[in-house]
Amino acid sequence: MERVVQFTGPRRVEVADCEPAPLPPGHLRVRTRYSGISAGTELTAYRGSNPYLNRTWDARTRLFQEGGAQTGYPVVGWGYSEVGEVTEIAPDVAGLPGLPGVGDRVWGIWGHRSEGVVPAERMVGHRLPEGLDPLSGSFARVGAIALNAVLAAGIHLGERVAVFGQGVIGLLATRLAVLSGASVTGVDALDVRLREAARFGAQATLNPGTDAVAERIRELTGGAGADSAIEVSGAYPALHEALRSVAVGGRVVATGFYQGEGAGLRLGEEFHHNRVELVCSQIGGVPPALAGRWSVERLQQTFLDLAASGRVEPASLVSHRVPVEEAESAYRLLDERPADALQIVLEF
């Protein structure tokens, strides 16, 4: 039997058994080893706040429409950070150039399920880099999200960058910004995460519960403010503070998944008077100026190469490895006690 994680309602999780799907032409079958939980996107489905649960996305107009939900409960097999082993390949794609073979360790997206049936074209080039442990490989997607935000910030050598939110993606963004030549200030309301930020290369750390963040960043930058800020937490007050923290004409990259109304975001203040540039970074595409050279696939491959070379150590962020049978407790921990967990990975 195949096991799959599903949300049956807000804050209700179960692990269901189902018959394995037959392997259609053009696909391969992967047995899952690790599947990382996204503490941002997935919790919106777990909590019931995800816009797809309340509105319908019109792909033609690229607008959300009122009057019905596009996705309803049960939400089955969410997850986008999987690593596993190829167990079967459809005969019509066997030998496809770049396609991993049976027994190869691979990374990709097939959700929180014990095995995935994945189109072959999505797995070309997805063999784990030589020497990279599978646990690090499960960070391909979240690492790409962080790298996308860093590229969107347009960081230059010697610039000063503030990263708001030091969860997994924020910590990876901190490390990647340091590798890009920036001096980073990490911001988070949890001191345990600020300690991780320092370990990942942040030169300064600030807690909005005890520090006047924008004022302190200006002190640290000789009064100018940060050249750019990356906001990862998805909290509107944090986005507002990021806008307050950058220099005149500075750039703020909003990469968090913001929910509901924008309480705490006041665009008539520093954003307006300091002519701040606010851009969105979302893993559906790369920064427009880089679209001729970069792709989402290149983001993922680049991050895995950085991990394989030891310049980024994502596996050190894993705080819990949880058997898939205990998935419900993993989501409850992330929802109720975020200070006690960082990256939770489901084991199959």
Side-chain angles (χ1 to χ4, degrees):
M1 297 294 288
E2 180 189 353
R3 289 164 295 164
V4 60
V5 177
Q6 58 186 22
F7 305 140
T8 58
R11 292 182 166 85
R12 297 205 302 270
V13 181
E14 69 175 29
V15 180
D17 292 328
C18 56
E19 291 292 335
L23 186 68
H27 287 66
L28 50 76
R29 192 185 307 276
V30 184
R31 183 173 59 239
T32 309
R33 181 168 180 185
Y34 297 122
S35 185
I37 294 178
S38 163
T41 302
E42 286 188 57
L43 283 189
T44 68
Y46 172 76
R47 293 166 175 160
S49 66
N50 191 286
Y52 285 95
L53 293 169
N54 303 288
R55 295 174 179 82
T56 298
W57 172 251
D58 187 325
R60 182 182 62 83
T61 63
R62 298 196 65 81
L63 294 171
F64 277 100
Q65 306 290 345
E66 302 288 348
Q70 182 160 332
T71 300
Y73 291 108
V75 178
V76 180
W78 272 39
Y80 54 71
S81 299
E82 285 72 59
V83 164
E85 180 180 301
V86 177
T87 59
E88 186 181 3
I89 300 174
D92 64 314
V93 290
L96 183 69
L99 189 69
V102 171
D104 283 342
R105 292 176 174 177
V106 294
W107 57 274
I109 299 173
W110 55 85
H112 300 313
R113 56 182 77 242
S114 57
E115 67 174 39
V117 174
V118 190
E121 67 269 15
R122 283 173 39 193
M123 299 303 291
V124 170
H126 278 223
R127 187 182 291 107
L128 278 182
E130 190 70 28
L132 184 67
D133 66 283
L135 197 58
S136 292
S138 69
F139 284 79
R141 191 69 167 183
V142 290
I145 293 169
L147 179 56
N148 209 27
V150 169
L151 293 178
I155 297 169
H156 299 87
L157 184 66
E159 289 194 327
R160 297 164 296 200
V161 178
V163 179
F164 286 74
Q166 294 294 310
V168 172
I169 294 174
L171 287 165
L172 294 175
T174 290
R175 178 61 182 157
L176 294 170
V178 169
L179 290 176
S180 300
S183 171
V184 176
T185 297
V187 183
D188 200 281
L190 298 175
D191 286 333
V192 64
R193 294 187 178 178
L194 294 179
R195 290 191 289 273
E196 289 294 306
R199 187 172 69 85
F200 267 54
Q203 291 193 348
T205 58
L206 299 171
N207 186 324
T210 55
D211 297 306
V213 173
E215 289 80 1
R216 286 286 293 121
I217 287 176
R218 277 178 157 68
E219 290 174 11
L220 293 168
T221 56
D227 295 290
S228 61
I230 299 171
E231 205 300 295
V232 186
S233 74
Y236 289 108
L239 180 59
H240 182 69
E241 199 67 12
L243 293 167
R244 297 185 70 230
S245 298
V246 296
V248 173
R251 177 181 293 181
V252 173
V253 177
T255 195
F257 192 13
Y258 303 92
Q259 302 292 293
E261 304 289 339
L265 179 62
R266 302 186 296 277
L267 296 181
E269 298 182 5
E270 290 83 5
F271 170 73
H272 179 80
H273 288 81
N274 290 333
R275 303 183 303 281
V276 176
E277 181 184 13
L278 177 60
V279 300
C280 175
S281 176
Q282 197 269 351
I283 197 57
V286 299
L290 302 179
R293 296 181 286 119
W294 281 83
S295 65
V296 174
E297 185 71 10
R298 183 179 176 185
L299 291 173
Q300 296 173 142
Q301 295 282 2
T302 298
F303 181 79
L304 290 177
D305 288 343
L306 289 168
S309 70
R311 285 175 285 178
V312 182
E313 298 179 344
S316 69
L317 298 177
V318 176
S319 59
H320 297 75
R321 293 198 289 187
V322 176
V324 66
E325 294 81 6
E326 300 172 18
E328 191 275 336
S329 67
Y331 285 98
R332 189 170 65 248
L333 174 60
L334 286 170
D335 183 38
E336 298 176 359
R337 305 196 312 278
D340 296 340
L342 198 51
Q343 178 64 60
I344 298 181
V345 173
L346 299 177
E347 289 188 311
F348 289 82

